[in-house]
Amino acid sequence: MHQKTEMGEDSIRKRKESKNGSTGLSVDSQAEDKQPVKATVLQKDVGLLSGICLIVGTMIGSGIFISPKAVLLYSGAVGPCLLIWAACGVLATLGALCYAELGTMITKSGGEYSYLMEAFGSLLAYLYSWTTVMVLKPSAFAIITLSFAEYASTPFYPGCTPPLIVTKCLSAAAIFLIVTVNCLSVKLASYMQNLFTAAKLFIILVIVVAGILMLAQGKSKSFSNAFEGSSSSVGTIGLAFYNGLWAYDGWNQLNFITEELKDPYRNLPLSILIGIPLVSVCYVLVNIAYFTVMSTTELLLSPAVAVTFGDIVLYPLSWVVPLFVVMSTFGSANGSCFTAGRLAYVSGREGHMVKILSYISLRRYTPSPALIFNGILAIFYIIPADINTLINYFSFAQWAFYGLTALALIVMRFTRKELHRPVKVPIVIPGLMVLVSCYLVMAPIIDKPDLEYLYCTIFIFSGLLLYYPFIHLKVNWARKLMRPITMHLQLLMEVVPPEKSE
């Protein structure tokens, strides 16, 4: 098995040398130029600023421009709506603090996957990677690019909804472009993330300042009876939290790329402590700005809340808002793609996905097979896409795994006492996260037991049908079948297995 892989690797290296123009005369000079030679592993190219931008840029995407309607609809009034936005920020911060301890204790990429593996073993980690790599990550990528496409195409169809085929084609084009950039260079993807994060913070500042000016002019009608008509249903409040937390989703993204962080012990917790409170403040202020300008009815009827806000407040320059929203959603999609590729890469490396997903580009040092695989799945999810159904489906499974990860932190306090913990949070915090996760998973099912939750559960456990023969038993015929496929894909994409760094 290894002979053919090594043959493929050798032929790729030789081909790379020939393309670089190696000759007998210039070998020494080229060797000097290229010293030190990089190991074929993911490089530590992500610093503190890029880490903060990844968190902020992935969290602030389409959510704040789509979710305000859903949070208001399920909460029933302005007061509880704003309280839910603030509570979601607190929850995201508490969750991220747990992840700061986990990420500095286990400095492996892959987020929850690596922590579940350490705490509970191979089976649960596999079910997580199966669900996340096959459904959660690509569906999130699809949702964000669909939001991008809706905002990007709306100005070209004034007075009506853009045709579905246009939205979906534009979404597919965005996926193709983002995957290409991420395959070409980690630094290029980071620069793009930093640029789009600056753009989205700028438009949020514009919206907040405009809202403050309108409040100063006495436009506070929406806040006069803020709690009138509040929802009292446990299930609908759970759904309001779902949609609010969808906007906050991304607080755990830095843990997916721990191996690529410069000085993770410092930069991981620092990025979290700067990034997430910043986003929480932005979200609450943006919602206050929305309610200052629009009544609850206007907000619920708006096809695109941020664009309607721009039309009312910034009339001659109202085109600025959709332009920056497009940039914001594109940047969020880039962050989602960046981290999703790392999860597929790590699970491939551990033998829980096909081996080719764990290979790295020989020239670019990017996990290109994993990135391409995530992009292909995202394009499939675009075809039947209904954004709200996908959000509920996504949140149900995601919060089950967030709860298990918080439980993993508690378990490892007793089972892995020897591990170094540069960051240590009070055990009450992961305990609270477990309880909140249980509520967010169970409440909507009890309130409205839709079939989509059953489908999601069946899909998660269907992974066992593959786990037992291919991972537990490691059947020979599967290896024989995959060997030539892996070798040909390896030669086609010029990728090699990562070098052992430990």
Side-chain angles (χ1 to χ4, degrees):
M1 176 183 176
H2 290 295
Q3 272 186 328
K4 286 195 179 181
T5 306
E6 283 162 13
M7 276 171 58
E9 191 174 334
D10 287 341
S11 64
I12 292 167
R13 287 187 192 280
K14 283 172 187 170
R15 194 186 312 171
K16 189 181 178 188
E17 282 170 17
S18 67
K19 283 185 180 174
N20 286 341
S22 294
T23 64
L25 294 170
S26 61
V27 167
D28 293 336
S29 61
Q30 283 206 4
E32 280 176 18
D33 289 343
K34 300 201 173 184
Q35 288 298 337
V37 176
K38 287 183 180 179
T40 340
V41 292
L42 298 181
Q43 305 297 309
K44 290 187 177 290
D45 286 332
V46 182
L48 177 63
L49 178 63
S50 293
I52 294 167
C53 286
L54 182 70
I55 292 175
V56 174
T58 310
M59 287 175 76
I60 303 174
S62 56
I64 190 61
F65 309 113
I66 291 176
S67 297
K69 284 200 295 184
V71 176
L72 176 62
L73 180 68
Y74 291 120
S75 61
V78 173
C81 177
L82 291 174
L83 286 176
I84 285 168
W85 278 105
C88 287
V90 172
L91 273 178
T93 307
L94 293 178
L97 287 172
C98 297
Y99 277 59
E101 177 175 332
L102 287 163
T104 50
M105 180 171 68
I106 300 161
T107 53
K108 290 182 181 176
S109 291
E112 292 91 343
Y113 175 80
S114 299
Y115 315 140
L116 293 172
M117 177 78 90
E118 289 285 338
F120 302 118
S122 177
L123 180 60
L124 195 57
Y126 167 77
L127 288 177
Y128 170 76
S129 68
W130 159 253
T131 310
T132 309
V133 171
M134 299 304 291
V135 179
L136 300 185
K137 283 291 186 184
S139 70
F141 195 13
I143 292 166
I144 299 165
T145 53
L146 280 166
S147 304
F148 157 79
E150 281 180 21
Y151 275 100
S153 54
T154 299
F156 298 98
Y157 296 91
C160 64
T161 309
L164 211 53
I165 188 72
V166 171
T167 308
K168 289 185 178 183
C169 286
L170 194 56
S171 176
I175 288 170
F176 178 77
L177 179 60
I178 289 165
V179 169
T180 304
V181 168
N182 278 271
C183 286
L184 287 175
S185 165
V186 172
K187 283 186 176 177
L188 182 60
S190 291
Y191 290 147
M192 189 162 84
Q193 190 68 18
N194 297 356
L195 175 69
F196 285 117
T197 300
K200 63 186 72 182
L201 287 174
F202 173 76
I203 194 59
I204 280 178
L205 184 65
V206 168
I207 291 171
V208 168
V209 169
I212 290 168
L213 291 173
M214 299 296 270
L215 262 179
Q217 292 170 20
K219 298 202 172 180
S220 56
K221 190 180 174 184
S222 294
F223 305 106
S224 53
N225 295 307
F227 288 87
E228 196 176 306
S230 301
S231 172
S232 56
S233 163
V234 172
T236 51
I237 290 168
L239 285 170
F241 268 99
Y242 261 7
N243 285 277
L245 288 164
W246 160 249
Y248 278 98
D249 201 68
W251 49 266
N252 61 332
Q253 294 300 289
L254 208 56
N255 292 68
F256 284 92
I257 62 157
T258 310
E259 290 169 31
E260 292 167 81
L261 270 178
K262 297 171 185 171
D263 191 5
Y265 298 115
R266 171 185 176 269
N267 290 341
L268 179 70
L270 207 52
S271 298
I272 285 168
L273 289 170
I274 295 169
I276 294 166
L278 174 64
V279 173
S280 305
V281 171
C282 286
Y283 277 6
V284 173
L285 291 176
V286 165
N287 275 280
I288 290 170
Y290 287 157
F291 288 123
T292 305
V293 172
M294 288 179 270
S295 68
T296 52
T297 310
E298 283 175 320
L299 196 138
L300 289 171
L301 290 173
S302 167
V305 179
V307 175
T308 305
F309 178 93
D311 289 340
I312 297 169
V313 178
L314 309 166
Y315 174 63
L317 297 171
S318 55
W319 55 268
V320 167
V321 175
L323 173 67
F324 277 91
V325 171
V326 165
M327 292 170 76
S328 175
T329 47
F330 192 85
S332 184
N334 179 62
S336 175
C337 175
F338 191 91
T339 55
R342 274 61 186 175
L343 175 60
Y345 160 80
V346 172
S347 52
R349 189 175 67 185
E350 297 292 336
H352 283 173
M353 288 281 156
V354 287
K355 212 67 183 163
I356 190 70
L357 294 182
S358 70
Y359 285 15
I360 293 172
S361 169
L362 193 56
R363 294 164 177 248
R364 313 283 183 184
Y365 303 101
T366 58
S368 46
L371 291 162
I372 292 165
F373 181 68
N374 181 56
I376 291 168
L377 286 178
I379 287 171
F380 278 115
Y381 282 108
I382 286 168
I383 299 164
D386 166 32
I387 287 178
N388 285 327
T389 308
L390 276 172
I391 288 173
N392 291 340
Y393 182 68
F394 173 86
S395 301
F396 161 73
Q398 190 66 75
W399 275 94
F401 288 118
Y402 286 158
L404 285 168
T405 307
L407 184 61
L409 179 57
I410 297 169
V411 166
M412 283 192 282
R413 284 281 177 93
F414 301 100
T415 60
R416 303 297 301 274
K417 290 180 180 178
E418 79 283 0
L419 289 173
H420 175 53
R421 292 172 168 83
V423 175
K424 194 170 181 180
V425 297
I427 203 162
V428 175
I429 293 177
L432 180 64
M433 286 301 293
V434 172
L435 293 173
V436 168
S437 301
C438 289
Y439 168 71
L440 288 170
V441 170
M442 299 306 297
I445 299 173
I446 293 165
D447 187 63
K448 192 182 176 188
D450 287 337
L451 277 175
E452 65 190 23
Y453 301 121
L454 178 64
Y455 295 149
C456 183
T457 309
I458 290 169
F459 180 84
I460 292 169
F461 288 104
S462 69
L464 295 173
L465 299 174
L466 297 173
Y467 179 84
Y468 187 70
F470 298 121
I471 294 159
H472 183 69
L473 294 180
K474 296 180 179 172
V475 290
N476 273 330
W477 63 264
R479 290 183 170 198
K480 286 177 183 174
L481 177 70
M482 283 308 297
R483 203 174 296 159
I485 296 170
T486 301
M487 193 182 78
H488 284 101
L489 286 172
Q490 188 184 350
L491 289 165
L492 177 68
M493 292 190 278
E494 296 197 345
V495 291
V496 293
E499 291 178 21
K500 294 276 191 295
S501 55
E502 294 175 35

